[in-house]
Amino acid sequence: MTTLENDAPTLIDAPTTHPRMLAWVAETAALTTPDRVVWIDGSAQQHQSLIDDLVAAGTFVKLAKKKDSYWCASDPTDVARVEDRTFICSVDEADCGPTNNWMDPGEMRAVMKDLYRGCMKGRTMYVIPFVMGHLEAEKPMFGVEITDSPYVVVSMNVMAKTGTRVLEKMGETADYVPAMHSIGAPLKPGQVDVAWPCNDTKYIVQFPESREIQSFGSGYGGNALLGKKCYSLRIASVMARDEGWLAEHMLILKLTSPEGTVKYIAAAFPSACGKTNLAMLEPTIPGWKVETLGDDIAWMRFGDDGRLWATNPENGLFGVAPGTGWDTNPNAMRAIDAGGSVFTNVALTDDGDIWWEGMTPSPPAHLTDWHGNDWTPESGTLSSHPNSRFCTPIRNCPILADEYDDPRGVPISAILFGGRRKTTIPLVTESRDWTHGTFMGATLSSETTAAATGAVGVVRRDPMAMLPFIGYHAGDYFQHWIDVAKGADADKLPKIFYVNWFRRDDEGGFLWPGYGENGRVLKWVVDRLEGRVAAVETPIGHVPAPGSLDVSGLSLTDDQLAQAVRVDVDEWKAEIPLIQEWFDKIGDKTPITLLTELDGLKARLGL
Ligand code: GTP
Ligand code: SPV
Ligand code: MN
């Protein structure tokens, strides 16, 4: 530990001789003036001592009923990603595009510098060396997060590989993404701290050209665990554009058929639209098996064999708690039961366990809700915030695929795009080819969820489920999707499908039972890859032919099934102006090929 005196940081105890890193840490300490600097070594002892500090501070409550696990509640205003406070500060505003907030990088640096000045007074500055993905990767993806939040450190220790082993691999010259974070809550001498310090002013800033991240004011996951969305999607998407690969908001799963055929599938659904659930699916159809490789982020590149290979850069699961139960996602329940988890903004039971809406069919008679208030089923409020989360080591997942440990990743056979739509979008649609699939992804729409602040349930375009995460111009991103497949062997390209588990009937109920039953759709996808089942050609793509989707043993009426897969021409005609408006917003950079796809769709709809 290094004690700072007179604002003059001494870094003699630093566990690295990496000159650029040392200079950055010293400069940051001089600016933010913490009381001390602690380097994260990745050891179990240090992890536990940080947890002990969090318990002593009243931030964490140790759970009697879950091994090495802790409950935590945030400030009620700091519960989700803040998209309106997220900026892509490209040198040229035109490179950020119409879907991101922009500020001149020089101006933004000045704003952030003012906010950071003295912002760690009375606190500890932690330096977290981390790697996203494999330490043994050809080019390991290093980062260093500086933060004044021990909650962030504990969470980063779960979500990424951190500490001395990373520093050792970095040596003195490795490149890394500097990721600066502060909760923005300096302490005056003698000032009593609160359980979740944060600041009303929030900034989540990416500098794409210099590959830097600066975050201020929030302790919430996507705003503060900077290896996750800020690095692995916003910064990595820019690296991927420059280097010819893809950084995507996708789960990765391994699907084994009763005959033992293995397929790897990636799927992009917007935040809180079912990635974790599909990644850990327990198929209801006999003989089919799903294993998990990732539940939120996929990095994909074409291999020498012409196939698209995917890895998951994360080391943990940061999952939506509500709706996770033994009946919906038993593997997630097993993972959190295995210990080492942090639960944020869920309810506490009287005997020291956690609970949230949807965990069990009926709630316990008494809880402490996420605000710390007494709660009973009669309270008429939610016990847990809709975006409450569990943070759990991925190794806890009982169906983690062995290939997770392979730095090469897995070859993807199918990509699913999906959203949360009450109407219009059928249960599953197969694209004609990569370009049509890219069109499906680029025009993906979904109802907003509690994963980001703002209104919930509003339909918006969320291209490739990446709207909040594309680190550059969305039009260039679409072009990159088209370019990346140019020259690829069409037979080896993954087939692209569009799914929707969330279509409703006239009474507002879900038409499709979802969860474990989604294995039936995965089976249809594999059957299509293998040319085993028929599909019906429609204006929007191929949907299951009658009898091709395995619904044996499912209590679904023929009418419900027909409604779930129906292509309603009038609904689609109403969708066209919205897609047109979306491409107008993207502007001149909308790839011509996608405009041609739209023209084709209009013609097929008779427009
Ligand atoms: P992020 O972590 O925010 O990126 O979310 P995610 O895409 O991993 O979503 P997740 O799997 O956590 O699901 C979000 C919510 O959707 C949960 O409340 C689930 O219970 C619900 N959900 C997931 N799959 C289905 C499904 O097939 N049908 C229905 N009706 N709900 C589902
Ligand atoms: C999401 O919002 O898509 C998440 C949670 O996966 S967060 O880490 O906050 O981004
Ligand atoms: Mn996500």
Side-chain angles (χ1 to χ4, degrees):
M1 185 180 295
T2 309
T3 303
L4 303 179
E5 278 161 23
N6 307 324
D7 291 353
T10 53
L11 295 168
I12 36 175
D13 295 342
T16 175
T17 50
H18 192 299
R20 181 180 149 217
M21 198 191 313
L22 286 174
W24 178 59
V25 171
E27 183 191 310
T28 306
L31 175 65
T32 60
T33 64
D35 283 4
R36 61 197 84 77
V37 175
V38 170
W39 290 75
I40 297 308
D41 62 16
S43 70
Q45 295 88 312
Q46 188 189 50
H47 188 71
Q48 190 55 48
S49 95
L50 287 164
I51 287 173
D52 294 344
D53 291 350
L54 284 158
V55 171
T59 307
F60 275 12
V61 172
K62 185 166 169 53
L63 295 171
K65 288 288 166 99
K66 286 225 179 341
K67 194 170 135 250
D68 298 331
S69 294
Y70 299 85
W71 174 91
C72 171
S74 77
D75 184 287
T77 63
D78 195 22
V79 294
R81 284 183 296 98
V82 283
E83 295 181 1
D84 56 335
R85 304 301 307 155
T86 301
F87 294 81
I88 301 296
C89 294
S90 45
V91 171
D92 185 349
E93 182 173 6
D95 290 333
C96 134
T99 59
N100 289 310
N101 301 308
W102 181 84
M103 198 192 285
D104 172 79
E107 243 171 76
M108 182 62 92
R109 282 180 200 281
V111 168
M112 297 305 282
K113 195 164 186 179
D114 276 350
L115 291 170
Y116 285 145
R117 191 166 292 117
C119 73
M120 294 190 184
K121 241 189 188 72
R123 299 195 181 277
T124 302
M125 181 175 113
Y126 303 94
V127 185
I128 318 170
F130 66 93
V131 66
M132 299 310 294
H134 287 268
L135 203 49
E136 307 74 31
E138 213 170 288
K139 184 179 154 243
M141 300 287 268
F142 295 118
V144 179
E145 176 160 355
I146 289 179
T147 181
D148 50 8
S149 162
Y151 170 89
V152 166
V153 178
V154 168
S155 306
M156 279 294 286
N157 278 340
V158 173
M159 297 306 297
K161 300 182 186 91
T162 61
T164 311
R165 59 179 167 154
V166 178
L167 278 184
E168 279 168 3
K169 185 89 182 177
M170 287 177 79
E172 289 198 334
T173 55
D175 213 359
Y176 67 93
V177 171
M180 168 65 191
H181 171 255
S182 173
I183 49 174
L187 289 167
K188 295 190 191 73
Q191 185 183 341
V192 180
D193 205 0
V194 294
W196 185 280
C198 60
N199 194 306
D200 288 343
T201 300
K202 294 177 173 50
Y203 280 92
I204 318 299
V205 183
Q206 285 71 207
F207 299 97
E209 286 91 355
S210 57
R211 294 13 175 177
E212 286 171 276
I213 302 161
Q214 295 188 353
S215 168
F216 181 89
S218 170
Y220 169 75
N223 301 329
L225 314 180
L226 302 184
K228 199 169 169 48
K229 297 302 164 58
C230 301
Y231 183 162
S232 294
L233 290 179
R234 296 197 192 97
I235 296 292
S237 65
V238 176
M239 295 173 166
R241 173 201 61 190
D242 294 348
E243 298 166 9
W245 50 284
L246 295 164
E248 299 297 330
H249 193 200
M250 290 183 182
L251 68 92
I252 310 167
L253 65 81
K254 175 182 180 181
L255 181 66
T256 308
S257 75
E259 299 77 38
T261 311
V262 170
K263 300 276 185 218
Y264 301 97
I265 296 177
F269 311 151
S271 303
C273 291
K275 290 182 299 301
T276 300
N277 278 271
L278 192 71
M280 294 188 192
L281 177 105
E282 261 187 13
T284 49
I285 38 175
W288 289 79
K289 186 167 91 172
V290 167
E291 291 163 87
T292 310
L293 283 126
D295 81 323
D296 200 52
I297 299 174
W299 286 347
M300 305 194 289
R301 57 182 84 224
F302 284 96
D304 296 337
D305 62 355
R307 294 189 292 176
L308 187 62
W309 291 73
T311 57
N312 168 18
E314 298 196 279
N315 198 47
L317 309 164
F318 188 69
V320 177
T324 308
W326 288 102
D327 51 341
T328 55
N329 192 350
N331 288 316
M333 296 302 287
R334 290 179 193 116
I336 63 177
D337 268 359
S341 303
V342 176
F343 300 93
T344 306
N345 292 338
V346 306
L348 259 180
T349 67
D350 295 348
D351 62 350
D353 208 342
I354 34 95
W355 193 84
W356 49 69
E357 279 69 25
M359 181 192 279
T360 52
S362 50
H366 180 266
L367 294 166
T368 304
D369 73 12
W370 72 282
H371 289 291
N373 298 325
D374 282 318
W375 185 96
T376 67
E378 288 73 46
S379 293
T381 56
L382 294 173
S383 73
S384 306
H385 188 274
N387 191 40
S388 52
R389 298 262 165 180
F390 57 83
C391 179
T392 298
I394 199 163
R395 303 236 168 250
N396 281 9
C397 177
I399 56 163
L400 188 68
D402 292 341
E403 295 89 325
Y404 173 80
D405 289 320
D406 190 338
R408 286 176 312 165
V410 293
I412 298 297
S413 294
I415 292 173
L416 315 186
F417 291 120
R420 190 182 275 270
R421 287 293 303 268
K422 293 187 173 70
T423 66
T424 318
I425 313 296
L427 179 63
V428 57
T429 313
E430 182 188 334
S431 66
R432 287 187 307 278
D433 54 26
W434 182 270
T435 307
H436 182 221
T438 301
F439 174 80
M440 284 177 168
T443 58
L444 182 78
S445 56
S446 197
E447 292 148 20
T448 51
T449 67
T453 55
V456 167
V458 180
V459 174
R460 68 173 185 184
R461 299 297 126 181
D462 192 340
M464 285 78 172
M466 282 283 282
L467 179 70
F469 309 121
I470 304 170
Y472 56 103
H473 195 297
D476 290 335
Y477 170 76
F478 299 157
Q479 189 63 52
H480 181 60
W481 259 82
I482 291 162
D483 290 345
V484 98
K486 273 188 188 145
D489 182 343
D491 291 342
K492 291 181 180 166
L493 278 175
K495 280 254 183 190
I496 300 178
F497 297 78
Y498 192 171
V499 301
N500 178 22
W501 317 141
F502 300 93
R503 205 170 189 183
R504 309 287 185 122
D505 59 23
D506 294 340
E507 277 79 53
F510 290 112
L511 276 164
W512 178 252
Y515 301 105
E517 308 297 359
N518 294 334
R520 299 171 187 274
V521 175
L522 296 182
K523 178 184 175 187
W524 189 80
V525 164
V526 172
D527 283 343
R528 289 296 297 165
L529 294 175
E530 310 258 290
R532 274 199 297 255
V533 292
V536 178
E537 186 163 3
T538 78
I540 63 164
H542 294 84
V543 299
S548 69
L549 191 69
D550 182 350
V551 289
S552 52
L554 194 59
S555 60
L556 197 69
T557 64
D558 288 348
D559 182 53
Q560 280 171 319
L561 181 61
Q563 282 198 56
V565 301
R566 184 177 97 254
V567 177
D568 185 313
V569 169
D570 288 334
E571 283 181 345
W572 273 97
K573 281 181 175 168
E575 194 77 6
I576 295 297
L578 305 175
I579 296 175
Q580 189 75 60
E581 194 183 307
W582 167 239
F583 282 161
D584 287 348
K585 179 176 173 171
I586 302 302
D588 292 346
K589 289 197 171 192
T590 310
I592 302 290
T593 39
L594 297 189
L595 296 174
T596 307
E597 285 291 336
L598 177 57
D599 286 342
L601 174 59
K602 279 159 74 176
R604 291 191 299 274
L605 289 168
L607 287 171

